[in-house]
Amino acid sequence: FELVHRVRFIHCNCVLCSEDSQGRKYETREEMWAVEAAQGSDLHSKEGWYGKAIDYWASVPPTVDGVLGGFGHVTTLDMAESAGFLIKCKRVGVQWGEGSGSVVDCGAGVGRISQGLLTKHFGTVDVLEPVPQLICQAKQSLADHPNVRDFLEIGLEAFAPQEQAYNCIWIQVGKLHLLSMLHGSVQVF
């Protein structure tokens, strides 16, 4: 996906080289992210990291194909793999009964994962999405699902759930945009 800058990573004699859409060159992905994180003091402004992300996602069609960058056809496989992941979580002791428990779908887009997976495995589903046109589509897509409780129009970086509010916090694509992951303050398993 192109978010803020198109970055091209290619292998050059076993060394990873990169260049963004503005012609800046980086030796590593970490260097590129460090430069991006250092630009601008207000990450939430229209010109900041999260503002640019909102602008990008607001520019895509509010469809499954749109949020998947033209790869809507991978949804069936993605749902199967994600369901397998949930089953593995249960095997290692993550507790919730089938059709019980609560989950929040972070960066839910048009509600694709909530609709096709989470509503089938959890008693309560909350949908978190900062882009108005995407959450509007999610509301339409999930209107017939009685276990969808709330639609939260905020960004993941501002989301602070109460302790033990959810059995599962589902983050799929949204984790790619969290700057705090660069500094180790967010753990992803």
Side-chain angles (χ1 to χ4, degrees):
F1 296 108
E2 177 179 289
L3 177 60
V4 177
H5 303 293
R6 181 174 296 141
V7 178
R8 192 168 35 105
F9 290 95
I10 56 173
H11 290 279
C12 307
N13 298 326
C14 298
V15 176
L16 190 63
C17 303
S18 63
E19 180 179 322
D20 69 18
S21 60
Q22 297 176 346
R24 290 182 292 225
K25 296 185 187 302
Y26 306 97
E27 289 186 26
T28 66
R29 287 182 174 98
E30 290 77 16
E31 180 185 354
M32 188 273 305
W33 285 113
V35 168
E36 185 63 42
Q39 292 178 357
S41 58
D42 185 3
L43 296 173
H44 298 279
S45 73
K46 185 120 173 103
E47 295 78 31
W49 176 254
Y50 297 116
K52 289 177 185 178
I54 297 293
D55 285 349
Y56 170 77
W57 289 109
S59 75
V60 303
T63 63
V64 169
D65 206 45
V67 297
L68 291 179
F71 290 92
H73 60 278
V74 304
T75 290
T76 303
L77 177 60
D78 183 41
M79 293 294 175
E81 292 295 321
S82 295
F85 175 74
L86 280 176
I87 290 167
K88 287 178 185 175
C89 287
K90 285 185 176 184
R91 284 189 201 140
V92 297
V94 177
Q95 297 296 314
W96 72 86
E98 202 63 31
S100 68
S102 61
V103 62
V104 59
D105 185 1
C106 298
V110 296
R112 174 182 77 89
I113 296 292
S114 289
Q115 183 177 28
L117 178 71
L118 301 177
T119 56
K120 297 173 182 170
H121 289 272
F122 293 91
T124 303
V125 178
D126 288 347
V127 177
L128 182 117
E129 172 56 52
V131 179
Q133 72 180 24
L134 298 182
I135 202 162
C136 181
Q137 181 59 48
K139 287 177 182 177
Q140 292 176 17
S141 299
L142 295 162
D144 294 333
H145 291 274
N147 55 337
V148 175
R149 177 178 55 191
D150 286 325
F151 291 89
L152 309 167
E153 192 175 319
I154 61 170
L156 182 54
E157 77 283 359
F159 180 57
Q162 291 184 339
E163 194 171 322
Q164 299 185 6
Y166 299 103
N167 298 91
C168 178
I169 296 176
W170 191 268
I171 308 172
Q172 198 155 323
V173 175
K175 71 180 182 285
L176 300 173
H177 306 299
L178 286 176
L179 287 177
S180 56
M181 290 187 68
L182 299 173
H183 306 293
S185 61
V186 175
Q187 294 182 343
V188 180
F189 300 96

